[in-house]
């Protein structure tokens, strides 16, 4: 539907006001709530949605991606190859870093002039249209990241959209915290009261740069994208060279909505590049870039935080996700839950557990005391049960995203006692896909710290023997403080141990999960309820999402004038 450009912004806000109010309430209540259904079902999205989404994806392959009206200075040649085998063959408009920033900056005044309600309404309309395109986006995510299709649909579509909407309403609410106008009156003994009329206007910081990652191009990007948009900032979207298509679709839809609402579509521009380019570093130090959102390596994240001094920088980097295993009254449930956590998307998640800490005396279970060696063997058997069927394994593991993960997996196998070898799985639909089961190694806390205090991104985890549960909790505290983590977990039937684990997590600045044995997993988080990331440890400088994630993106500026002068 194309709305009249003069009325579209207000129409979008009125249309989506109930959605925005429900989402804002959900951030306070912290219970389960989502407007975007996660099931890729025809009963939810319509009978023809799956085939239409796949067709839309297929029609983009092997040719230039269409972004009407998008500035460009040539073409970024095709460079994306599906982890399942075929090259995508999609070319994109080329923008130099300077030109991308200039285009976004030129579009800023009109967007800044809109109020928070209008911007939130436009953002909500973008998200609703992204939701309608969830099948198209799912195929794009699957064939750029290696996620299995259902995961690509959920994480790349509705779950990402949830996180985007969460950021929208935090940004919307924080800008409305103060009144737009106020009359200030100070009583005086003589000469009448002093009176001023004051106006308060939230103003964005400037151009926002979004530097996206390969593995979760939409889920990790939507919070920053929408937080910046709603706070009045134009956004330069810089995708990972291996995962451009999901964000190109996102940019296309955003630009369509902006244009319909009467705004310059260059409020959102795409800065695609090849793997040989290094545009992110040049973009990051441009003096007009005032906000940066980044997901990726610790090295580049640290460089951004140290170097891009003109910008407020929000990062999500690497970490040592840790599980302390003390005791359990559901050993089978623990093993199944942990096996799935290690296997989901081949461990290529920033939240996958890496270090599994077991006391040398063993963990007490409903099946007897289990030594570290026995636990490792049992966990390996649970992995085999989960992944024994190739079709089920492929649906859980997905594919290895790139050669660097595969090389890391091969290198890790040489570092300790192998408790569960990583093996190849033949994908039933994609014979060229590289699929691997998790590698499980046994290490010693005292002897092997150089190994387990590094992040090993991919299907690699360590069963680390500690002197005691107390040492395990101390390792949780110290390693997360020093190296960071996105998640932590503990299993214990002892309330004193659980209390000590909570204290260790608070000291370390990491979110904690306790005794997960069912259908909730440590490497998953729910928007509007779970916080993701923490500025309290080195793995991230922000939380998705909370007020601190949005307030640095704008300033509230005031103007004032005497009442008499105004009336006269």
């Amino acid at each position: 539907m194309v709305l009249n450009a003069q009325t579209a912004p207000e129409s979008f806000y009125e249309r989506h006001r109930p959605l925005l109010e429900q989402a804002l309430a959900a951030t306070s209540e912290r219970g389960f709530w989502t407007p975007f259904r996660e099931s890729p079902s025809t009963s939810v999205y319509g009978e023809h949605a799956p085939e239409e989404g796949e067709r839309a994806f297929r029609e983009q392959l092997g040719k230039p991606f269409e972004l009407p009206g998008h500035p460009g200075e040539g073409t970024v040649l095709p460079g994306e190859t599906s982890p399942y085998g075929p090259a995508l063959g999609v070319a994109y408009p080329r923008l130099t870093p300077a030109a991308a920033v200039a285009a976004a900056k030129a579009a800023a005044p009109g967007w800044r002039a809109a109020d928070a309600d209008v911007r939130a309404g436009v953002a909500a309309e973008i998200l609703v249209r992204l939701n309608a395109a969830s099948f198209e986006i799912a195929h794009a995510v699957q064939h750029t990241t290696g996620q299995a299709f259902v995961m690509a649909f959920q994480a790349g579509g509705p779950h990402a959209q949830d996180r985007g909407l969460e950021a929208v309403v935090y940004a919307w609410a924080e800008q409305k915290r103060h009144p737009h106008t106020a009359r200030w009156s100070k009583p005086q003994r003589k000469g009448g009261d002093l009176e001023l009329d004051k106006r308060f206007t939230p103003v964005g910081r400037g151009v926002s740069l979004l530097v996206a990652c390969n593995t979760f191009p939409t889920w990790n990007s939507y919070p920053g994208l929408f937080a910046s948009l709603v706070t009045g900032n134009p956004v330069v979207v810089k995708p990972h060279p291996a995962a451009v298509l999901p964000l190109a679709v996102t940019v296309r839809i955003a630009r369509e909505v902006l244009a319909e609402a009467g705004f310059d579509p260059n409020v959102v521009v795409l800065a695609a590049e090849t793997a040989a380019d290094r545009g992110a570093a040049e973009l990051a130090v441009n003096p007009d870039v005032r906000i940066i959102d980044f997901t990726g390596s610790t090295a580049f994240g640290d460089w951004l935080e140290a170097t891009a001094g003109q910008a407020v920088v929000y990062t999500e980097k690497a970490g040592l996700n840790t599980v302390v295993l003390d005791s359990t009254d559901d050993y089978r449930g623990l093993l199944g839950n942990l096996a799935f956590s290690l296997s989901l998307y081949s461990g290529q998640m920033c939240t996958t557990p890496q270090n599994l800490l077991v006391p040398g005396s063993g963990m007490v279970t409903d099946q007897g005391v289990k030594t570290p060696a026995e636990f490792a063997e049992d966990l390996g058997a649970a992995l085999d049960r989960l992944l024994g069927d190739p079709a089920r394994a492929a649906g859980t593991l997905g594919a290895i995203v790139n050669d660097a993960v595969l090389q890391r997996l091969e290198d890790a196998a040489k570092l300790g006692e192998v408790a569960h070898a990583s093996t190849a799985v033949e994908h039933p639909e994609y014979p060229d896909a590289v699929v691997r089961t998790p590698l499980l190694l046994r290490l010693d806390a005292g002897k092997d710290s150089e190994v387990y205090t590094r992040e090993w991104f991919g299907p690699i985890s360590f069963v680390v023997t500690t002197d005691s549960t107390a040492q395990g909790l101390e390792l949780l505290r110290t390693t997360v403080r020093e190296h960071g983590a996105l998640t932590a977990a503990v299993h214990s039937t002892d309330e004193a141990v659980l209390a000590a684990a909570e204290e260790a997590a608070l000291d370390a600045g990491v979110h904690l999960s306790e005794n997960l044995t069912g259908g909730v997993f440590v490497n998953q988080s729910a928007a509007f309820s779970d916080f993701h990331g923490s500025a309290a440890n080195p793995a991230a400088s922000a939380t998705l999402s909370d007020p601190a994630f949005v307030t640095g993106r704008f300033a509230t500026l005031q103007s004032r004038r005497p009442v008499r002068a105004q009336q006269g």
Side-chain angles (χ1 to χ4, degrees):
M1 177 185 296
V2 179
L3 302 177
N4 185 291
Q6 294 181 338
T7 60
E10 294 77 13
S11 296
F12 285 142
Y13 174 67
E14 291 305 322
R15 178 187 303 176
H16 298 300
R17 183 174 180 177
L19 173 65
L20 294 167
E21 291 174 345
Q22 290 170 1
L24 184 60
T27 64
S28 297
E29 295 163 1
R30 312 308 294 183
F32 173 78
W33 182 80
T34 174
F36 303 124
R37 301 284 292 277
E38 69 177 5
S39 173
S41 169
T42 56
S43 65
V44 175
Y45 287 91
E47 180 181 357
H48 302 294
E51 61 188 59
E52 291 173 352
E54 183 173 5
R55 183 168 57 249
F57 165 71
R58 299 288 176 194
E59 288 175 349
Q60 292 165 161
L61 303 182
K63 60 185 180 183
F65 188 87
E66 294 185 6
L67 278 175
H70 193 279
E73 301 161 334
T75 300
V76 177
L77 296 177
E80 296 162 290
T81 298
S82 170
Y84 294 96
L88 302 191
V90 185
Y92 301 95
R94 177 179 290 280
L95 271 178
T96 65
V101 174
K105 183 179 179 181
W111 186 241
R112 181 178 60 208
D115 65 22
D117 288 346
V118 167
R119 293 194 294 258
V122 170
E125 177 68 16
I126 295 170
L127 283 163
V128 167
R129 295 195 195 184
L130 287 170
N131 181 248
S134 289
F135 282 93
E136 176 186 1
I137 292 170
H139 286 286
V141 169
Q142 178 186 16
H143 287 287
T144 53
T145 69
Q147 293 176 30
F149 178 77
V150 172
M151 182 178 183
F153 182 91
Q154 293 177 339
H159 293 175
Q161 296 147 17
D162 280 344
R163 284 296 186 188
L165 181 59
E166 186 180 43
V168 166
V169 295
Y170 272 113
W172 180 53
E174 290 301 319
Q175 291 175 96
K176 294 166 71 69
R177 180 177 295 278
H178 305 295
H180 184 57
T181 61
R183 175 160 290 183
W184 181 85
S185 181
K186 181 179 180 180
Q188 299 290 304
R189 291 185 178 181
K190 296 181 180 180
D193 294 348
L194 293 176
E195 292 187 306
L196 295 174
D197 278 335
K198 301 184 180 184
R199 182 182 299 272
F200 304 95
T201 305
V203 178
R205 286 179 58 91
V207 175
S208 179
L209 169 64
L210 171 61
V211 183
C213 66
N214 190 174
T215 49
F216 287 88
T218 57
W219 196 96
N220 280 111
S221 296
Y222 283 6
L225 170 63
F226 286 99
S228 284
L229 283 178
V230 177
T231 50
N233 306 284
V235 182
V236 175
V237 177
K238 210 298 289 180
H240 189 283
V244 182
L245 187 55
L247 287 174
V249 174
T250 301
V251 169
R252 184 194 70 210
I253 291 172
R255 289 172 62 84
E256 289 171 355
V257 176
L258 287 162
E260 288 181 24
F263 296 105
D264 187 335
N266 288 341
V267 167
V268 179
V269 296
L270 183 73
E273 63 177 11
T274 70
D277 296 325
R278 294 292 182 267
E282 186 176 344
L283 283 163
V285 296
N286 186 304
D288 288 322
V289 169
R290 305 300 305 281
I291 304 163
I292 299 173
D293 288 281
F294 167 76
T295 303
S297 71
T298 297
F300 192 63
D302 289 346
W303 181 87
L304 287 171
E305 291 170 353
T307 308
Q310 85 290 350
V312 56
V313 180
Y314 302 93
T315 60
E316 182 187 307
K317 300 173 288 187
L320 307 179
N321 302 318
T322 301
V323 182
V324 176
L325 295 140
D326 171 71
S327 54
T328 182
D329 56 10
D330 184 6
Y331 187 56
R332 183 176 178 84
L334 181 156
L335 292 172
N337 185 282
L338 195 52
F340 186 80
S341 296
L342 301 185
S343 302
L344 186 60
Y345 185 31
S346 300
Q348 297 168 125
M349 303 175 69
C350 60
T351 50
T352 301
Q354 174 178 298
N355 296 334
L356 315 177
L357 310 182
V358 184
S361 58
M363 63 180 298
V364 178
T365 82
D366 54 328
Q367 297 183 25
V369 176
K370 298 291 183 177
T371 66
E374 291 170 329
F375 168 75
E377 181 180 357
D378 292 343
L379 182 56
L383 288 167
D384 290 339
R385 286 193 298 272
L386 175 67
L387 305 173
D389 176 70
R392 183 179 180 185
T396 302
L397 295 167
I400 299 297
V401 66
N402 56 43
D403 290 341
V405 174
L406 191 61
Q407 183 62 55
R408 193 177 301 119
L409 181 59
E410 294 175 0
D411 293 342
K414 307 169 186 176
L415 297 175
E417 179 184 336
V418 176
H420 182 270
S422 176
T423 59
V425 176
E426 184 175 341
H427 199 290
E429 296 180 54
Y430 300 99
D432 293 332
V434 177
V435 184
R436 296 288 187 273
T437 62
L439 171 69
L440 199 60
L441 296 174
R442 285 193 58 210
L443 301 176
D444 181 85
K447 300 176 182 177
D448 301 309
S449 62
E450 290 187 5
V451 177
Y452 66 78
T453 56
R454 290 173 52 196
E455 188 200 29
W456 293 82
F457 183 78
I460 304 162
S461 294
F462 307 113
V463 175
V464 182
T465 300
T466 63
D467 293 340
S468 61
T469 295
Q471 186 191 31
L473 293 174
E474 184 58 25
L475 280 175
L476 167 65
R477 177 185 285 106
T478 56
T479 58
V480 174
R481 273 182 176 174
E482 294 174 10
H483 306 284
L486 274 298
T487 62
V490 61
H491 285 270
S492 182
T493 58
D494 187 334
E495 287 296 331
V497 172
L498 295 176
E502 290 187 21
E503 281 299 311
L506 292 174
D507 286 347
V510 66
H511 307 302
L512 180 69
S513 296
E514 302 175 11
N515 293 333
L516 297 183
T517 58
V520 175
F521 305 95
V522 67
N523 43 348
Q524 297 174 320
S525 66
F528 304 105
S529 185
D530 293 322
F531 292 114
H532 173 78
S534 163
N537 76 68
S541 66
T543 294
L544 306 180
S545 288
D546 65 359
F549 186 66
V550 302
T551 53
R553 299 171 192 266
F554 71 96
T556 300
L557 302 180
Q558 74 169 44
S559 61
R560 58 186 182 174
R561 66 172 65 175
V563 173
R564 290 191 184 89
Q566 181 180 357
Q567 293 174 341

